[in-house]
Amino acid sequence: MRKANKLVAIVLGVGAIASSISPASAVPYKGSNVYKVVKEGVTSIYISSTANSRVQVDLGSVERSTARIVGACGEVRISVPNSGSFTGLKVDGASISADSLPSQVMPSCVNGTFSEPRPDNFRTPNGQVVIVNKTPGAAVAIALPNEATRNLSVNACGFAILRATTSTALPDSFSISGTDYTTASLQDAGDAPICRTSGGESTVYVPGSWTN
């Protein structure tokens, strides 16, 4: 019991207001069910919804970055994406126009040298994009936009959080249940709500600044 009281005291000490909520409750900010919190330049998007439910967020076309190790002949092979399109492809930040690349077979690599010269980037007959003249064994960044969705779990207090990941930045715009949102235009709550569960009861701690 003392531990619970200490937690409340700590949270209230930073200007929060504690309130118990029922499982069907949600945590909107000044009437907005979707809002953001920006702290130290990092944006998180909060989605108020029915507690313990799930929310699907349609992110649209999102640039995803992956690392690829360069082959022994300085080549990087990029397979055809599920979308079938290389539109927006970037390698180490440089844009690659896949449609303009010549079609050539992939030569064998012998002792760090192609059996046939390949001085420029090309595409193989099966559609792969091959980037050349990279440093063998080095890592390169491959970025390619993809249609993406995120399925978020709503916590017991009634809100879910959409954050950037190591491979996917927050989108400029997104939609939830057919409603479109723009990240830049979302209300900034300043401080985030906090959800704590103890003894089967969930309590949301709402920042004191929300009541101003």
Side-chain angles (χ1 to χ4, degrees), residues 64-68 140-144 167:
R64 291 187 173 179
S65 181
T66 58
R68 195 73 56 84
V140 298
I142 309 296
L144 188 64
S167 61

PDB file of all heavy atoms in Angstrom, residues 64-68 140-144 167:
ATOM      1  N   ARG A  64      11.170   2.888 -45.677  1.00  0.00           N
ATOM      2  CA  ARG A  64      11.769   1.961 -44.726  1.00  0.00           C
ATOM      3  C   ARG A  64      13.231   1.739 -45.093  1.00  0.00           C
ATOM      4  O   ARG A  64      13.567   1.518 -46.252  1.00  0.00           O
ATOM      5  CB  ARG A  64      11.022   0.626 -44.728  1.00  0.00           C
ATOM      6  CG  ARG A  64       9.622   0.726 -44.143  1.00  0.00           C
ATOM      7  CD  ARG A  64       8.974  -0.624 -44.011  1.00  0.00           C
ATOM      8  NE  ARG A  64       7.707  -0.543 -43.305  1.00  0.00           N
ATOM      9  CZ  ARG A  64       6.920  -1.577 -43.065  1.00  0.00           C
ATOM     10  NH1 ARG A  64       7.264  -2.776 -43.473  1.00  0.00           N
ATOM     11  NH2 ARG A  64       5.785  -1.415 -42.413  1.00  0.00           N
ATOM     12  N   SER A  65      14.073   1.789 -44.092  1.00  0.00           N
ATOM     13  CA  SER A  65      15.508   1.667 -44.326  1.00  0.00           C
ATOM     14  C   SER A  65      16.028   0.355 -43.748  1.00  0.00           C
ATOM     15  O   SER A  65      15.683  -0.022 -42.627  1.00  0.00           O
ATOM     16  CB  SER A  65      16.243   2.846 -43.686  1.00  0.00           C
ATOM     17  OG  SER A  65      17.632   2.749 -43.917  1.00  0.00           O
ATOM     18  N   THR A  66      16.829  -0.337 -44.535  1.00  0.00           N
ATOM     19  CA  THR A  66      17.478  -1.561 -44.074  1.00  0.00           C
ATOM     20  C   THR A  66      18.961  -1.500 -44.438  1.00  0.00           C
ATOM     21  O   THR A  66      19.358  -0.758 -45.340  1.00  0.00           O
ATOM     22  CB  THR A  66      16.860  -2.814 -44.723  1.00  0.00           C
ATOM     23  OG1 THR A  66      16.971  -2.713 -46.155  1.00  0.00           O
ATOM     24  CG2 THR A  66      15.394  -2.961 -44.341  1.00  0.00           C
ATOM     25  N   ALA A  67      19.756  -2.275 -43.737  1.00  0.00           N
ATOM     26  CA  ALA A  67      21.193  -2.330 -44.021  1.00  0.00           C
ATOM     27  C   ALA A  67      21.490  -3.570 -44.852  1.00  0.00           C
ATOM     28  O   ALA A  67      20.892  -4.627 -44.652  1.00  0.00           O
ATOM     29  CB  ALA A  67      21.989  -2.352 -42.725  1.00  0.00           C
ATOM     30  N   ARG A  68      22.394  -3.429 -45.781  1.00  0.00           N
ATOM     31  CA  ARG A  68      22.795  -4.544 -46.636  1.00  0.00           C
ATOM     32  C   ARG A  68      24.320  -4.572 -46.722  1.00  0.00           C
ATOM     33  O   ARG A  68      24.955  -3.519 -46.830  1.00  0.00           O
ATOM     34  CB  ARG A  68      22.187  -4.367 -48.032  1.00  0.00           C
ATOM     35  CG  ARG A  68      22.212  -5.595 -48.930  1.00  0.00           C
ATOM     36  CD  ARG A  68      21.209  -6.636 -48.504  1.00  0.00           C
ATOM     37  NE  ARG A  68      19.858  -6.109 -48.447  1.00  0.00           N
ATOM     38  CZ  ARG A  68      19.042  -6.017 -49.496  1.00  0.00           C
ATOM     39  NH1 ARG A  68      19.454  -6.383 -50.697  1.00  0.00           N
ATOM     40  NH2 ARG A  68      17.813  -5.568 -49.346  1.00  0.00           N
ATOM     41  N   VAL A 140      25.646  -0.817 -46.460  1.00  0.00           N
ATOM     42  CA  VAL A 140      25.004   0.313 -47.128  1.00  0.00           C
ATOM     43  C   VAL A 140      23.548   0.380 -46.676  1.00  0.00           C
ATOM     44  O   VAL A 140      22.959  -0.619 -46.263  1.00  0.00           O
ATOM     45  CB  VAL A 140      25.075   0.193 -48.667  1.00  0.00           C
ATOM     46  CG1 VAL A 140      26.513   0.200 -49.148  1.00  0.00           C
ATOM     47  CG2 VAL A 140      24.362  -1.066 -49.144  1.00  0.00           C
ATOM     48  N   ALA A 141      22.979   1.575 -46.745  1.00  0.00           N
ATOM     49  CA  ALA A 141      21.586   1.783 -46.339  1.00  0.00           C
ATOM     50  C   ALA A 141      20.690   1.750 -47.567  1.00  0.00           C
ATOM     51  O   ALA A 141      20.906   2.499 -48.522  1.00  0.00           O
ATOM     52  CB  ALA A 141      21.439   3.114 -45.613  1.00  0.00           C
ATOM     53  N   ILE A 142      19.702   0.873 -47.539  1.00  0.00           N
ATOM     54  CA  ILE A 142      18.730   0.759 -48.620  1.00  0.00           C
ATOM     55  C   ILE A 142      17.399   1.302 -48.109  1.00  0.00           C
ATOM     56  O   ILE A 142      16.862   0.821 -47.112  1.00  0.00           O
ATOM     57  CB  ILE A 142      18.534  -0.706 -49.058  1.00  0.00           C
ATOM     58  CG1 ILE A 142      19.880  -1.376 -49.344  1.00  0.00           C
ATOM     59  CG2 ILE A 142      17.599  -0.780 -50.256  1.00  0.00           C
ATOM     60  CD1 ILE A 142      20.640  -0.791 -50.487  1.00  0.00           C
ATOM     61  N   ALA A 143      16.868   2.315 -48.776  1.00  0.00           N
ATOM     62  CA  ALA A 143      15.584   2.899 -48.379  1.00  0.00           C
ATOM     63  C   ALA A 143      14.610   2.781 -49.537  1.00  0.00           C
ATOM     64  O   ALA A 143      14.947   3.096 -50.681  1.00  0.00           O
ATOM     65  CB  ALA A 143      15.758   4.360 -47.977  1.00  0.00           C
ATOM     66  N   LEU A 144      13.403   2.317 -49.222  1.00  0.00           N
ATOM     67  CA  LEU A 144      12.390   2.132 -50.258  1.00  0.00           C
ATOM     68  C   LEU A 144      11.007   2.336 -49.646  1.00  0.00           C
ATOM     69  O   LEU A 144      10.674   1.709 -48.639  1.00  0.00           O
ATOM     70  CB  LEU A 144      12.492   0.728 -50.849  1.00  0.00           C
ATOM     71  CG  LEU A 144      11.639   0.411 -52.075  1.00  0.00           C
ATOM     72  CD1 LEU A 144      12.063   1.282 -53.260  1.00  0.00           C
ATOM     73  CD2 LEU A 144      11.771  -1.058 -52.447  1.00  0.00           C
ATOM     74  N   SER A 167      13.464   1.508 -38.239  1.00  0.00           N
ATOM     75  CA  SER A 167      13.399   1.409 -39.700  1.00  0.00           C
ATOM     76  C   SER A 167      12.326   2.287 -40.327  1.00  0.00           C
ATOM     77  O   SER A 167      12.328   2.495 -41.538  1.00  0.00           O
ATOM     78  CB  SER A 167      13.150  -0.048 -40.119  1.00  0.00           C
ATOM     79  OG  SER A 167      11.914  -0.515 -39.608  1.00  0.00           O
TER      80      SER A 167
END
